[in-house]
Amino acid sequence: TFNDKFKFLMDITNTNNTTLAGAVGIDNSAVSLYRSGKRKCPRNKEILRRMSDYFASSIKSAITVSYTHLRAHETRSNL
């Protein structure tokens, strides 16, 4: 369901309700309702696009940081 995927994205990006609400331009309580499953997928496509952009950016940043950390560790190991 939307709510399961939404909660998963919130968890893996370590995003709190306030951060997402501010990034997307919605109320904290709406994020809380999406996360808990008490509110279904938003019908407003602009809100969905902003959520998608936020999560895509957060995941890309996390991957970049992880890759940079891994490369630095490999470099130190090869010395």
Side-chain angles (χ1 to χ4, degrees):
T1 66
F2 167 80
N3 304 93
D4 292 333
K5 292 175 178 92
F6 182 76
K7 184 176 180 336
F8 174 75
L9 288 168
M10 293 286 287
D11 291 345
I12 66 167
T13 59
N14 203 24
T15 300
N16 64 42
N17 296 0
T18 303
T19 300
L20 183 66
V24 174
I26 60 177
D27 192 74
N28 288 356
S29 63
V31 176
S32 179
L33 292 171
Y34 292 135
R35 199 171 197 166
S36 69
K38 294 179 181 174
R39 184 179 279 185
K40 299 204 184 285
C41 181
R43 292 182 181 209
N44 184 323
K45 293 193 188 313
E46 182 61 23
I47 297 298
L48 281 174
R49 186 192 61 75
R50 289 182 198 157
M51 285 181 181
S52 298
D53 290 347
Y54 174 84
F55 288 125
S57 177
S58 294
I59 291 167
K60 182 178 178 184
S61 295
I63 290 170
T64 301
V65 167
S66 295
Y67 178 76
T68 302
H69 178 73
L70 176 64
R71 294 295 297 163
H73 178 72
E74 286 176 351
T75 301
R76 283 193 305 268
S77 296
N78 290 332
L79 294 178

